[in-house]
Amino acid sequence: MNSIGYNVFGWNFYKSSVEAGEKFCLEVRRESSPAKLTAQTIYTKGRITGHKVGDPSFVAAERIAGFGNDLLPNPVPALTMLMTAQEYSEWWCVSLPTNTSLPAVEYIRLTPNESMSISNGDLIFICDGTASFSGSVVNGPTAVRVTNASELVAVNAPVYGMRLDRENIS
Amino acid sequence: MQYTYEIVKVDEASRCMEIVYSADGHQTMHVSARLPFVGETLETIVDMHSPVPLWIELAKSVQVPAVGVQGSISSASAPEDVAVAQQVMTIPVNEVQV
């Protein structure tokens, strides 16, 4: 696994990647709602499968591009999952303890030419893809502070990202 | 920086282990890591996953910008960002206003 740190609006993010066939563990130490997990993650490339350690019948939701915490079961049980990358895969994560507090996260996943409404003051992190903000085009990874735009459009390819709120959820 | 480590959990079936890292004056860290392959040493894996860069970063003083400071930064290409990031641990992502 390769991880690279990025600072986004003051939060420390990690972009991680694994090669096909690579295995790693995901551990949830305490049962939690997806929004209150101490790691907020969105996958942007690839496909990763997994199952609970010691119980192969307990299968994890596949981590594919666009998968984020909001698609996890609620509550997320305390468990350790053994994950296997079926192909080269990437994801972005903001977590404790590399941050003193976490943002509230709304996950962004747009298909080509799909749009969503945004508001002035929004903090938007485009992790992957090309997005147009009322005509201003940016390529991920880019942190976008919205001051004069009302719409975000995915340009030609999917866009994955997060709308971040400074509300402390941890 | 000198640190100590202890393997506190090993799951051979899932090929992973839990390492506890400790160093004077720093927060103790629990890290999940893969088991070493045959031919690798345990300490190679321990050192590979050590939180020393994080400890160093957390020990640094920070500069607090004033609210309202704005700027404009030209974007660097992603491959260069990646190359730099591996050297400096954390790099600022490009930030723009739209």
Side-chain angles (χ1 to χ4, degrees):
Chain A
M1 183 182 299
N2 185 32
S3 292
I4 300 167
Y6 287 83
N7 193 277
V8 181
F9 296 127
W11 287 290
N12 291 316
F13 275 70
Y14 282 89
K15 177 189 177 186
S16 297
S17 60
V18 287
E19 301 296 332
E22 212 169 319
K23 294 178 184 291
F24 59 98
C25 290
L26 281 182
E27 184 174 18
V28 179
R29 290 174 184 257
R30 291 182 211 86
E31 180 179 288
S32 172
S33 70
K36 291 189 179 298
L37 284 174
T38 56
Q40 295 292 316
T41 306
I42 186 165
Y43 291 78
T44 53
K45 286 186 174 66
R47 185 169 77 92
I48 303 170
T49 58
H51 62 79
K52 182 179 179 182
V53 171
D55 183 2
S57 67
F58 189 114
V59 176
E62 286 194 1
R63 271 52 171 176
I64 57 175
F67 187 92
N69 282 34
D70 57 334
L71 299 179
L72 289 169
N74 191 4
V76 181
L79 80 177
T80 301
M81 309 289 291
L82 174 63
M83 311 300 289
T84 304
Q86 302 300 322
E87 55 191 82
Y88 172 83
S89 302
E90 287 182 0
W91 63 92
W92 287 83
C93 178
V94 57
S95 65
L96 298 174
T98 52
N99 292 278
T100 52
S101 66
L102 293 180
V105 172
E106 177 188 344
Y107 291 93
I108 296 171
R109 48 180 79 85
L110 299 176
T111 56
N113 303 315
E114 188 180 6
S115 64
M116 63 178 278
S117 296
I118 54 176
S119 303
N120 289 348
D122 282 355
L123 302 178
I124 293 179
F125 178 32
I126 300 296
C127 302
D128 196 82
T130 301
S132 172
F133 291 80
S134 298
S136 299
V137 175
V138 303
N139 294 306
T142 299
V144 180
R145 194 180 296 270
V146 179
T147 56
N148 189 25
S150 58
E151 187 178 50
L152 189 172
V153 183
V155 179
N156 298 330
V159 164
Y160 303 112
M162 302 179 182
R163 178 152 40 189
L164 307 172
D165 192 305
R166 294 202 180 278
E167 174 193 0
N168 181 352
I169 63 163
S170 59
Chain B
M1 179 186 298
Q2 184 166 3
Y3 63 84
T4 60
Y5 70 91
E6 179 183 357
I7 309 300
V8 296
K9 193 192 299 181
V10 172
D11 189 332
E12 187 174 355
S14 57
R15 299 159 66 94
C16 62
M17 59 186 172
E18 182 175 340
I19 311 169
V20 177
Y21 294 87
S22 304
D24 286 345
H26 298 281
Q27 181 184 351
T28 297
M29 297 283 185
H30 291 244
V31 176
S32 179
R34 66 172 174 82
L35 300 180
F37 298 126
V38 171
E40 285 182 320
T41 65
L42 172 63
E43 295 212 337
T44 299
I45 302 302
V46 169
D47 196 40
M48 187 186 300
H49 291 79
S50 92
V52 167
L54 177 61
W55 280 332
I56 292 172
E57 185 178 280
L58 291 176
K60 288 181 178 175
S61 299
V62 296
Q63 301 180 64
V64 182
V67 173
V69 168
Q70 297 184 4
S72 176
I73 297 173
S74 299
S75 62
S77 69
E80 288 172 2
D81 282 351
V82 168
V84 171
Q86 289 169 332
Q87 301 289 324
V88 301
M89 184 72 180
T90 301
I91 59 174
V93 76
N94 303 323
E95 183 172 333
V96 299
Q97 290 188 30
V98 297

